[in-house]
Amino acid sequence: MALQFYGKDPDCPGNNCPAVFRDEETGDVYFQGETVVDPTLLARLSEDSGLSDSESVVKLPARMAEMIVEACRAGAVV
């Protein structure tokens, strides 16, 4: 697996910060962030797309949008 690091939350001090990665072989995007555990929020999210036992919801700050888009577009044929 060849993971490319796209960046971490610029407002996060130190380590253990929300971050964005992309697998260069598959194009899959990985997010490191705060795991959502609020049952009300999880119930609301599950209304549109069920959440299996092997899935989790991760929250990333809006200020990371540009690096998320960059990771998603990397290697895309346009």
Side-chain angles (χ1 to χ4, degrees):
M1 177 183 298
L3 284 181
Q4 175 69 38
F5 174 69
Y6 277 83
K8 68 177 187 175
D9 180 356
D11 290 350
C12 180
N15 294 321
N16 303 323
C17 301
V20 179
F21 304 85
R22 180 177 173 275
D23 184 322
E24 293 181 330
E25 295 172 11
T26 66
D28 293 340
V29 181
Y30 294 89
F31 301 108
Q32 173 184 336
E34 179 182 341
T35 302
V36 175
V37 295
D38 179 312
T40 303
L41 180 54
L42 290 171
R44 170 56 192 95
L45 294 167
S46 291
E47 289 175 13
D48 295 315
S49 178
L51 194 61
S52 75
D53 290 341
S54 66
E55 295 178 319
S56 61
V57 175
V58 177
K59 176 181 148 184
L60 297 177
R63 64 184 161 265
M64 295 179 68
E66 188 174 318
M67 68 183 72
I68 293 168
V69 170
E70 181 183 350
C72 291
R73 288 190 176 153
V77 177
V78 273

